[in-house]
Amino acid sequence: MKERIKVAVMGYGTVGGGVCGVLTEKSSLLGLRSQGEGSVELKYVLDIRDLSDSPVARYWVKDIGAIVSDPDVDVVVETMGGVEPAFSFCMKCLSAGKSVVTSNKQLVAEKGEALFEQARRSNVSFRFGAAVCGGVPVLKTMVYGLAANSIRGFAGILNGTTNFILTKMFKENASFEDALSAAQRNGYAEADPAADIEGRDACRKTAILCSLAFGRHVYPDEIPTQGVTGVTDADAACAAAAGGSIKLIGWGKKTDGAVYAGVSPMLVPASHLLSHVDGVYNAAELHGDKIGSVLLYGQGAGRDATASAVAADVLDCIRRPGFDPAYSWAPSNGERVADGGVLPCRFYVRGTAADPEKAAAALSAALGTPRFLSRAGAPADELAFVTAQPAPKAHLLETLGSVTAFEALRIFPVFEG
Ligand code: HSE
C-alpha cells in the first residue's frame, strides 16, 4: 500500500476543474475508500493555458513529460476532450505504466482499440465510466453489477444537453437559442455544441455501450444518427396528444448474432419511464438475460456529476491497478452494425395534405387505421398520426409514397422499450 496516491489531471476545463475540486476536497475520504487509509492527492494539472492565477497554480505544468517521467504519479486523468493530443498523451502515460481515467467519449469511441492494447501490454488500468451518462454509473453496472448476464440490448437518453434543451423548449417555452445558452453556461454542452445537437455525442456513447455490451469495437460511423434539429413545437404538441414526449434515444441490441444500433428522436409513450426523464438528466435501460431490465437515472452532464464518475474510476484504478479485460472489448472484426431499418416498429408521422380528410382516408386504408393526433393551433393542412402496426421503415416509406395526397415532413420511431 502507498500512503499517498498521486494523481495528474490533463485538461483544466469544466470536468478537469471538477476533478481537481473533488481530489482536493475529498483526499482522505478517497484514500479510505480506495485503500482503507492514506490519501489520494492531486500532483499535476496539465494545460497549455496559463493557470498561474488559478486555484491549481501550484500543480500547473505545460509539458506532458513532467507527468510521464515522474514515478510518483500513479493515475492520470484525461479531461482534455477531442482525439489529439488526448490520444497521444494517454498512450504515453499508459506506456509509462500509469493507469489512465478519461471522460472523453470521442477518444474512447474512436481509439479504444489502441488504448486497450497499450493498457494490456503495460498491465495498467484504463477506465472511462464518465464517458457515458456523466455521473450515472452505467458502464460499471454493466461490467460488474450485471457480470453474470449476457447483455441483450440497451436504450437511453444519453445526452444531457439535448434533453435539457428539449425540456426547456417544450415544457418551459424557451427558445432554442436561450435553452442552448443555458446548457452552455451550466457546463453541459460540448466545446462544439453541434456535437450534442446533431447527435454525435449520443452516437459516441451508443458506440461505447455497444462495444462494451457486445464485446467488439463498434465505431461511431457505423451507427445511423439523427439529432434533434428537426424536432419542433408541433412535434412536441403532437407527442403530448399521443400521450408521450419526444426524446433523443441511443439504442443497441444483439439479435441472432447481429448488432443493431441507432440514435434518433423517438416518440416515447408516457407509460415508459424514459418519457419522464427531463432536464440534464440521463437514463439508460440495460437488458440482461438473467436480470431482465435495469434502469439507471441521474445527471448526465455537468462539472460535479462528471467529476464524481471520474473520481470513482480513479479509486478503481487504485484498487485494481492491472489491466481489467472485463472493462474492455475486442478489436473490430470488420463486421458493421446491421441496418436497424429492417426491425419492425411503429412510427410517429407528421406531414401536410391539401385535403386532410381525403388523405386521412387514404392513409387509413393503406396503413391499417393509424391513430390520428390533433393539437391546438395546428395549421389546416397538418396531419399527424401514429401507425398501428409495427413495420420496417422501408415498408412505411413505400406505403407513404403510395399515398400521393399526403407529404410526410417528420418520421420518428415510437419507442417500445
Ligand atoms: N455534452 C455532453 C452531454 C456532456 O450533454 O451529455 C456529457 O457527456
Side-chain angles (χ1 to χ4, degrees), residues 105 130-131 134 158-162 188-190 196 201 205 282 300-301 306:
K105 295 90 46 157
L158 308 178
N159 181 267
T161 299
T162 44
Y188 302 153
E190 297 300 293
D196 297 296
D201 180 78
K205 292 165 178 169
N282 282 188
T306 312

Side-chain angles (χ1 to χ4, degrees), residues 61-75:
V61 290
K62 274 175 144 173
D63 179 6
I64 178 76
I67 294 171
V68 170
S69 62
D70 185 343
D72 203 22
V73 172
D74 304 286
V75 183

